[in-house]
Structure formats: structure tokens, C-alpha cells
Amino acid sequence: MNKNYYVAIMAGGIGSRFWPMSRTDFPKQFLDILNIGRTLIQGTFDRFAAFIPAENIYVVTSDQYKDIVAEQLPEIPVANILCEPSRKNTAPCVAYIAHKLLHLNPEANLICAPADHIILEPENFKTTCLGALNFTANIKALVTLGIKPTHPNTGYGYIQYDQQSVSENVYKVKTFTEKPDLELAKTFIASGDFLWNAGIFVWQVKNIVAAFEKLLPELNELFETEKASFNTASEQEAIDRIYPQCVNISIDYGIMEKADNVYIIPSSFGWSDLGTWGSAYENLQKDYLENAVAGDNVVVIDATKNMVHADNKKLVLLQGLDDFIVVDTKDVLMICKKDREQEIKQYVAEIKRSKGDKFL
């Protein structure tokens, strides 16, 4: 394993679209959504540990989740759990790990990836990541992995790329488009030069820091000012000073959409961002009536194409429903049409207004 290869697993989100299983104090990245015996963050660690030394794997998360990460990932040093005092989106998260590693190892070559993706073909994923690391080791490039689309999904961002490769399976990025409507998504698919944005990035830390210096100079200066504290006992105090001043912005919008040295690798490794109950439905086994059931004591009668999640100790009888999401927890029962799942975040906001934080 290459000692200059590092991974930052981004695990600070609250997964509100997976409510009511995902809660503020125990969000989806720490859950076994698909009932496979490993949580999402554990699965992410397993994939990277196949080709990155465990001591080079970091987790950037909210300070309230530090103990959960330590419990679920005992393989990594506790010092590798980096705690954000507040949620400021992905650009400050990347700036933090990049500046930390720059002072630890100036030759560090880094993969930044979300904690909550599903990847069904880990060997293909490994091959793709190693190819990306090899490319960024030799070229001043910011690389993103793009997923070859299988249908006009409106829940993903899209990336357009040049058709002429600059290296084996590496292409220059032309445009980024946030979640399009259905007609535009169909146009993208038909054109053949768009990929889904997987939100997995690869770069040498010195090159992403250079991009911050150019494109987000005020944010970069906050971390640069505190550089003497990184990798020391006073690092957390420095981060606690920095974060209240950080702009809330994504790495996509703040850097990737503006930089002129962005490249993409078209990829196929059985990817899903597992962002919604609908994506869980797609990744679960189904019965002969196309119901996806996670729960040992769910009985389905005369019902089709439902996503059902229930505690193994509870008997749930479902009759007569078609195309619904049914999630039963100890204190919340949610029954929602599958085609309305994008509105779950709005429902959670309404519950917060009317019921407070008790059920969140």
C-alpha cells in the first residue's frame, strides 16, 4: 500500500431524507439500512481499507458523532476522527483535511468520499480509485468520479465532459448541472456526454489547497492562519475557532465548478448514493410482488411495489398498499407514497415546526 495515499470519509450529515430511521443523534451513515450486517460507514471503510492503510483513513464528522465513529470503526486511530463543531457543507470539510495532511505529508494524495454510498462492485471501485490516484500523482489535477447513467434520474447532479481523453479513461470536465428536471435529464442521457456526479473526489492535497487559495481565498486564509496547530494537541481548539467564520458552501460549487483543471473518470462499479428510501428500494431484494422488505416479521398481503422497513421484533401487517414507503420505528410510523419521497425533508421541517425536536 502506498504511504502517500489517504482517504477522508465525510460523515457529518443528518440524512433527513431517511427519516424516521435516520435521526439527528444517530443519522443514516451509522445505520444498516439494507440489513446486510454492516452500517453504511463501515461498508465505506471496508472498501477503502482494501487499498489504503487504515492509519491513512480519516473520518470528518460532527463532534456529536465522534463516539459513534470510534465504536463503529475501531480499526482507525481515534486521532483520525476529525470533529467539526458545526455543519458548514463540504468545502470547509475538505479544506480542513487538506490543510491537516499538507503539514503532515506534503506528498499526500487524497480521496474524499461520502460515508453513505452503496458500491456493489468493490474490485472495480478499487481499480478506478487507484487509476485516479495514479493520474493525480503526476498531474496538477482535480479529479471527480462520474457514474455512467442508466436512466434519466432527477435526483443526481450531472457532469458534461469532453469526448477526447487526456489519459486512459480520463477526460476534461466541461460543465456541471445540478439536479435537472426530467426532460433535461433525458436530453443529457441522449447526448452521451454526461455522467452522474458521484461526489467522490481525488487530488494531491497541495493542488486542492492551491485551488482554495485561488477560488475561496477567505476560507483558505482561516485554515492557513491556524496551520501551526494542525497535528498538535491544540488542533481541535483551532478548528473550534475557525468553523464559526467559515462560509457554508459545497466543494462542488466553491471549487469544482470554477477551477480550470477539473477532470472526470467515467466509472461503473454498482454505485448508488443511497440518498432516499427509493434508492434503498432499488438496492434491496424484492418478493414476487416487487415489495422490498427489511424486517423479519413483516407480512404483506395483496400489496405491491412497497418499500417496508420495520424492527425485527415487531409484527407489521401490510394489506392493499401499492407504491408506498412504510417505515416503522419505536416512536414514529411513516406511510408515504414512493413518488413523493423527495418531499420527506419538507415533512421533517413541518414536524419540527409543529412538534419540536422530539421526533427528529
Side-chain angles (χ1 to χ4, degrees):
M1 291 189 182
N2 191 315
K3 62 181 176 56
N4 292 332
Y5 290 173
Y6 293 81
V7 168
I9 299 173
M10 298 180 286
I14 59 174
S16 58
R17 287 182 297 172
F18 262 104
W19 184 86
M21 260 196 83
S22 182
R23 304 292 179 96
T24 303
D25 60 353
F26 210 95
K28 71 167 180 174
Q29 60 267 31
F30 306 118
L31 300 172
D32 180 8
I33 297 283
L34 300 181
N35 279 12
I36 57 175
R38 295 287 276 174
T39 67
L40 294 178
I41 194 172
Q42 287 173 329
T44 302
F45 169 82
D46 293 344
R47 285 191 295 276
F48 285 119
F51 61 97
I52 303 289
E55 63 270 20
N56 286 11
I57 298 177
Y58 289 78
V59 175
V60 188
T61 190
S62 167
D63 53 8
Q64 74 184 107
Y65 306 143
K66 181 177 182 178
D67 291 344
I68 304 175
V69 175
E71 180 182 347
Q72 294 201 0
L73 298 179
E75 301 92 340
I76 69 170
V78 173
N80 287 20
I81 305 172
L82 310 185
C83 297
E84 299 177 295
S86 56
R87 292 183 179 88
K88 290 297 182 82
N89 217 315
T90 51
C93 167
V94 172
Y96 178 11
I97 185 64
H99 276 270
K100 178 180 174 67
L101 290 181
L102 184 65
H103 297 290
L104 186 68
N105 178 0
E107 298 304 310
N109 203 355
L110 175 67
I111 302 173
C112 292
D116 53 3
H117 288 182
I118 291 294
I119 288 168
L120 301 176
E121 301 166 20
E123 280 301 313
N124 286 346
F125 179 71
K126 173 183 175 180
T127 300
T128 302
C129 287
L130 288 173
L133 287 163
N134 182 62
F135 181 73
T136 55
N138 298 294
I139 294 178
K140 187 178 179 181
L142 310 180
V143 169
T144 183
L145 304 187
I147 306 300
K148 296 171 184 174
T150 57
H151 60 283
N153 192 304
T154 58
Y156 297 150
Y158 286 72
I159 301 173
Q160 185 183 29
Y161 64 103
D162 280 336
Q163 295 300 290
Q164 186 70 39
S165 66
V166 298
S167 183
E168 185 180 356
N169 202 37
V170 181
Y171 301 82
K172 194 82 164 56
V173 166
K174 291 171 71 174
T175 63
F176 286 80
T177 303
E178 282 303 306
K179 303 170 183 176
D181 61 30
L182 184 58
E183 289 308 309
L184 190 54
K186 288 178 179 177
T187 302
F188 288 168
I189 299 293
S191 75
D193 59 354
F194 282 83
L195 300 168
W196 287 335
N197 185 356
I200 302 172
F201 308 104
V202 188
W203 41 52
Q204 284 200 62
V205 293
K206 60 188 176 187
N207 293 331
I208 189 62
V209 168
F212 274 104
E213 289 174 352
K214 180 180 179 181
L215 299 170
L216 289 173
E218 293 179 1
L219 177 63
N220 189 71
E221 184 63 25
L222 292 172
F223 289 90
E224 183 66 26
T225 301
E226 297 282 2
K227 65 183 179 182
S229 297
F230 290 120
N231 307 301
T232 73
S234 59
E235 177 174 310
Q236 190 62 55
E237 293 176 18
I239 292 302
D240 290 346
R241 287 192 295 271
I242 290 170
Y243 261 69
Q245 304 173 69
C246 286
V247 61
N248 188 326
I249 190 170
S250 72
I251 192 71
D252 300 77
Y253 186 72
I255 300 291
M256 301 299 281
E257 294 183 19
K258 298 178 174 66
D260 57 9
N261 59 332
V262 179
Y263 298 84
I264 194 164
I265 296 178
S267 309
S268 181
F269 37 68
W271 173 89
S272 168
D273 78 341
L274 211 69
T276 64
W277 283 111
S279 60
Y281 174 83
E282 295 298 329
N283 283 281
L284 280 164
Q285 282 192 314
K286 299 169 188 66
D287 65 18
Y288 72 102
L289 292 175
E290 297 184 63
N291 297 295
V293 176
D296 289 347
N297 288 299
V298 177
V299 178
V300 179
I301 299 171
D302 192 27
T304 62
K305 298 181 180 177
N306 295 294
M307 169 69 231
V308 188
H309 202 296
D311 188 280
N312 288 337
K313 297 177 182 177
K314 191 169 188 177
L315 175 65
V316 173
L317 174 66
L318 193 68
Q319 187 277 331
L321 289 185
D322 300 312
D323 276 310
F324 273 83
I325 300 164
V326 179
V327 183
D328 189 49
T329 71
K330 65 180 184 298
D331 59 346
V332 174
L333 170 63
M334 182 186 76
I335 303 171
C336 172
K337 286 288 288 183
K338 279 215 313 262
D339 62 8
R340 302 287 292 274
E341 66 166 1
Q342 294 292 341
E343 298 172 32
I344 289 176
K345 287 182 80 167
Q346 298 166 227
Y347 305 154
V348 171
E350 175 57 34
I351 289 163
K352 183 179 178 68
R353 280 192 296 270
S354 61
K355 301 294 181 181
D357 294 334
K358 179 181 178 183
F359 299 104
L360 305 183

